[in-house]
Amino acid sequence: MATFLYRLGRFSFRKRHVVALFWVALLALAGAGAAGAPAAGNSSFSIPGTEAQKAFDLLDERFPGASADGATARVVFKAPDGEKMTDPGNKAAVQETVDELSGGAEVAQVSDPYQGGGVSRDGTVAYASVTYKVSGMELEETSREALEAAAEDARDSGLTVEIGGDALQAVPETGSAEIIGIGVAAVVLVITLGSLLAAGLPLLTAIVGVGIGVATITALASTLDLGSTTSILASMIGLAVGIDYALFVVSRYRAELAEGREREEAAGRAVGTAGSAVVFAGLTVVIALVGLSVVNIPMLTKMGIAAAGTVAVAVLIALTLIPAVLGYAGRRVRPAGEKSKLLGGGRAKDKADRPNMGTRWASFVVRRPLAVLLLGIVGLGAAAVPAGSLELGLPDDGSQPTSTTQRRAYDLLSEGFGPGFNGPLVVVVDAQGSDDPQAVFQQAGDEIKALDNVVNVAPAAPNKAGDTATIAVIPDAKPSSAATEDLVHDIRAAGADIKDDTGADVLVTGATAMNIDVSQKLNDALVPYLVLVVGLAFLLLIVVFRSILVPLKAALGFLLSVLAALGAVVAVYQWGWLSGLMGVEETGPIMSMMPIFMVGVVFGLAMDYEVFLVTRIREAHVHGEKPSQAVVTGFRYSARVVTAAAVIMIAVFSGFIGSSDSMVKMIGFGLAIAVLFDAFVVRMAIVPAVLALLGAKAWWLPKWLDRALPNVDVEGESLAVHDRAADKDDEDKELVRA
């Protein structure tokens, strides 16, 4: 592989005009597709194989035209202080709003609060439910504007009016913090590479890669039903790995220049060595992201594949566009150790021979490996303690910022009707095979009324055929509470008894039940996902490092860092520690997708650092150094770059903490803290400590396996052989001349 990538690097450097034109054309093509595509909304949500989805599909079949999958909105009204919603003036204003909403082209039905029990007992709050014929993703912007205009007209009458539901799909905003994250990355690159131009190359190429990836996602969003969150997460991961991969290639290029190589040769060798590490690091990230498909939740699968595609683009850009732009930069990119005049280049060095920080740190670790190892494990273990209290759920309008109309509508409904009103359960009774369906409906309603944590059970509403009915159940607690989850399980248990007695199916659905089923499905999939992803990456790393213990150590270190990161997420978003600093307005259960998504992404990123750091150590070992000295040599050349890469990733991920979307905010924090733990505790402390303790045993591999494995030559040994052969040819030519 090293030889192929070496040739690719030289080709890209030499034919830079062709390579640059290709990537610019690809960016323009993706941009044109995105510009002409309809805007992405929230992805349609389905969970194959769950009871909630089965009930939802049954509603579509038995209640045709009911728009079971249509967008919904709740227009919530509150009377001024001292007044009631039943006062004639307020009642007239609400009636006007209902009539105005009913005229919408996409509106299927609007409920009248005064005829459907939509007024609170104290008379201060009322609501009208709006059901649309199409899903929230397909809803025309004119329908949203009409909804907001109707609410504004009602406000003019003196009422407080807010809108909840999925009809108002706000595209998440990441805020200015994302720009700050990129700014921090730029500063780190300048410090690391010692040149404004060299620092600009990774940023430029990463932005090109993310632009291609996000523009492609945007162009395909409507066709493939990709939500707006998909492009945000793809840009988050693509930007971080794009900068890192480019940084590793540029750093190696400067190191090759420092050894006296010509620029084209240096570009080829940078791609042949650091590029090999980029390929395998990128493969681990892609495996982890594509592996999310095993969960069988379409939205999560699409998010993973989209992000994996952006990572693949970042790898290809690092291998081709980076050497091309290095060719354009020419002598303005200086050898390692030299700085531009603007940053102090040309000044005398007082301590030219002093070991760098990476050398000093690695020397310290190999002298006291056991103490460093124990300290690292104990520290991560302490950070992981809160993970034992992890509670999972999915965000609803109650987790939105208080500045949004959705959150204010949620709070008004809780105030007027109780917290459970925001998460009604829909019980679907399928009595198609029963002799007396009406008796089955009555029995189901009576048994649900007898359960704990139930505030109200509406009368059964049968379909035209009379064989299927829906029963609306209002829980006593808020949707994301453990009490509501227990109620869902209790209704399902009662439904099993009814099925035994009558043969009728009793299914629970609705947004709350759907969230509960998602959490359960994700919990059940976590172990198979870990086995699949870690197993595949473990095999890949055996090929890369030609060792059993090094990949095993890498996997165990990853588990430590991800558990510690989950502990930090629980402490902030569930317990409320530092919630003000992180902009957490409402603590509660951790998003159900968080653990499995974090496992996938963090595993891929953790293996990035493992590959970049340990390949340098193995390279020194393969070239004859003793194990402990190889650790020091590896850190001398790679610690600075890996540290810079980690700081860049932390800065980029932290930028998404400012997002208005609670899911993006939580993922941004989780990934940032996970990279912090993994890069600075696991890879910088635990890895060298373990390698120092293992010594030569770290690189043990059974002979039969050594013969069976392909030689991918990540260390560039074939290039060294090429050098020795070239040197021998030069010597022979000199002898002939003599």
Side-chain angles (χ1 to χ4, degrees):
M1 175 177 284
T3 304
F4 168 76
L5 293 178
Y6 164 77
R7 291 171 181 164
L8 179 63
R10 293 195 63 165
F11 171 84
S12 300
F13 186 96
R14 189 169 57 253
K15 302 290 185 181
R16 46 188 172 272
H17 301 312
V18 175
V19 173
L21 182 62
F22 169 80
W23 285 109
V24 170
L26 196 58
L27 178 61
L29 183 64
N42 290 331
S43 176
S44 59
F45 196 71
S46 64
I47 326 164
T50 61
E51 179 174 317
Q53 187 65 45
K54 182 180 177 182
F56 189 82
D57 295 339
L58 186 65
L59 285 174
D60 271 346
E61 176 189 338
R62 303 287 173 84
F63 292 81
S67 301
D69 61 344
T72 58
R74 274 179 171 174
V75 183
V76 188
F77 308 88
K78 183 177 182 181
D81 291 343
E83 298 182 18
K84 302 281 189 183
M85 287 305 304
T86 50
D87 293 346
N90 295 334
K91 193 171 182 179
V94 171
Q95 191 61 55
E96 249 182 68
T97 305
V98 170
D99 292 341
E100 186 178 346
L101 289 170
S102 300
E106 293 183 312
V107 174
Q109 183 181 6
V110 182
S111 68
D112 187 327
Y114 302 100
Q115 295 179 6
V119 181
S120 63
R121 289 184 180 179
D122 63 4
T124 60
V125 179
Y127 74 92
S129 292
V130 185
T131 305
Y132 291 89
K133 299 173 184 176
V134 296
S135 67
M137 186 174 179
E138 299 167 323
L139 199 63
E140 294 287 342
E141 191 61 34
T142 52
S143 295
R144 294 193 182 93
E145 291 171 356
L147 178 62
E148 292 172 330
E152 193 58 42
D153 291 343
R155 291 188 188 105
D156 292 340
S157 67
L159 297 174
T160 298
V161 186
E162 305 295 347
I163 306 171
D166 63 353
L168 290 184
Q169 294 181 345
V171 176
E173 298 176 357
T174 54
S176 59
E178 181 185 357
I179 305 301
I180 296 173
I182 296 175
V184 171
V187 172
V188 172
L189 287 169
V190 170
I191 294 172
T192 305
L193 298 176
S195 163
L196 291 174
L197 180 63
L201 296 182
L203 279 176
L204 173 64
T205 55
I207 290 171
V208 170
V210 169
I212 292 171
V214 172
T216 303
I217 291 169
T218 304
L220 299 175
S222 180
T223 305
L224 301 181
D225 190 20
L226 303 176
S228 53
T229 305
T230 304
S231 60
I232 292 178
L233 295 175
S235 66
M236 179 195 301
I237 296 167
L239 188 61
V241 300
I243 294 174
D244 279 5
Y245 295 166
L247 171 62
F248 287 116
V249 174
V250 173
S251 298
R252 188 60 183 250
Y253 171 76
R254 296 177 71 235
E256 295 293 337
L257 289 179
E259 293 183 9
R261 303 191 191 280
E262 293 296 325
R263 292 186 178 272
E264 182 178 330
E265 178 70 11
R269 288 181 171 276
V271 175
T273 51
S276 298
V278 165
V279 169
F280 283 99
L283 272 175
T284 58
V285 180
V286 169
I287 287 171
L289 291 171
V290 173
L292 291 169
S293 58
V294 303
V295 183
N296 196 27
I297 294 180
M299 185 179 76
L300 192 60
T301 300
K302 292 171 186 175
M303 286 167 56
I305 292 175
T310 308
V311 171
V313 171
V315 171
L316 293 174
I317 281 181
L319 300 178
T320 57
L321 186 57
I322 280 290
V325 295
L326 287 172
Y328 284 118
R331 298 186 180 279
R332 285 169 289 184
V333 174
R334 300 168 180 269
E338 291 187 19
K339 295 183 179 180
S340 65
K341 293 181 179 180
L342 182 63
L343 299 173
R347 297 176 186 172
K349 297 180 181 180
D350 297 330
K351 299 179 180 179
D353 297 329
R354 183 182 178 186
N356 62 20
M357 180 62 77
T359 302
R360 296 198 299 274
W361 169 250
S363 299
F364 168 79
V365 173
V366 297
R367 287 197 305 270
R368 298 174 179 82
L370 189 58
V372 172
L373 177 62
L374 291 176
L375 186 62
I377 291 174
V378 170
L380 291 177
V385 168
S389 303
L390 177 67
E391 296 177 10
L392 297 177
L394 281 179
D396 53 24
D397 284 346
S399 62
Q400 296 267 9
T402 53
S403 58
T404 63
T405 187
Q406 293 95 327
R407 172 60 185 276
R408 291 195 293 263
Y410 180 97
D411 291 341
L412 284 176
L413 288 172
S414 296
E415 175 189 331
F417 299 91
F421 196 79
N422 282 294
L425 305 175
V426 179
V427 179
V428 183
V429 183
D430 179 9
Q432 193 174 52
S434 174
D435 296 332
D436 188 358
Q438 191 60 45
V440 175
F441 302 154
Q442 186 65 43
Q443 179 184 350
D446 291 342
E447 293 201 18
I448 293 170
K449 285 179 184 176
L451 297 174
D452 294 333
N453 300 318
V454 174
V455 171
N456 184 55
V457 178
N463 62 350
K464 288 182 179 180
D467 58 6
T468 307
T470 60
I471 302 173
V473 180
I474 305 299
D476 185 40
K478 64 181 183 178
S480 59
S481 67
T484 300
E485 183 175 349
D486 291 340
L487 175 59
V488 171
H489 294 315
D490 291 343
I491 294 174
R492 287 173 173 170
D497 294 337
I498 293 172
K499 183 176 177 62
D500 292 339
D501 294 341
T502 66
D505 283 326
V506 179
L507 309 171
V508 186
T509 189
T512 302
M514 196 77 86
N515 291 351
I516 291 168
D517 286 351
V518 168
S519 299
Q520 187 60 51
K521 193 174 182 70
L522 289 166
N523 283 340
D524 294 343
L526 184 57
V527 172
Y529 174 70
L530 269 174
V531 171
L532 173 69
V533 172
V534 176
L536 286 175
F538 181 76
L539 295 175
L540 186 65
L541 292 178
I542 289 177
V543 174
V544 174
F545 296 130
R546 308 194 76 78
S547 163
I548 298 292
L549 296 179
V550 170
L552 180 62
K553 173 261 309 167
L556 293 176
F558 150 74
L559 291 175
L560 275 175
S561 59
V562 80
L563 284 174
L566 278 175
V569 170
V570 169
V572 172
Y573 290 90
Q574 188 175 309
W575 292 0
W577 294 4
L578 302 176
S579 57
L581 181 64
M582 296 298 167
V584 181
E585 296 185 12
E586 185 78 22
T587 59
I590 303 305
M591 184 187 64
S592 300
M593 295 183 186
M594 187 69 187
I596 201 162
F597 191 82
M598 182 183 284
V599 164
V601 176
V602 174
F603 182 78
L605 300 181
M607 294 306 103
D608 276 4
Y609 299 124
E610 182 74 14
V611 169
F612 289 126
L613 187 62
V614 179
T615 48
R616 267 296 197 171
I617 296 173
R618 175 168 171 76
E619 185 176 340
H621 178 68
V622 166
H623 292 163
E625 292 189 9
K626 293 181 179 179
S628 59
Q629 184 56 42
V631 171
V632 175
T633 300
F635 269 70
R636 177 188 306 141
Y637 291 113
S638 60
R640 178 185 177 90
V641 179
V642 169
T643 300
V647 172
I648 289 168
M649 275 204 180
I650 292 168
V652 172
F653 290 146
S654 297
F656 289 86
I657 297 174
S659 172
S660 61
D661 187 279
S662 57
M663 180 172 74
V664 175
K665 181 192 293 283
M666 192 180 295
I667 288 177
F669 172 80
L671 294 181
I673 200 73
V675 170
L676 176 69
F677 288 147
D678 194 85
F680 292 103
V681 181
V682 175
R683 308 304 152 190
M684 287 293 172
I686 293 178
V687 165
V690 171
L691 290 177
L693 288 170
L694 291 175
K697 296 177 183 176
W699 309 107
W700 172 79
L701 187 70
K703 291 182 179 179
W704 64 270
L705 185 56
D706 188 34
R707 290 192 298 269
L709 291 177
N711 183 14
V712 295
D713 189 23
V714 177
E715 302 83 14
E717 178 63 18
S718 60
L719 300 182
V721 172
H722 177 271
D723 275 351
R724 289 193 291 270
D727 292 342
K728 182 69 167 58
D729 288 342
D730 290 342
E731 290 176 5
D732 291 343
K733 289 176 183 177
E734 289 295 329
L735 287 173
V736 169
R737 291 194 192 100

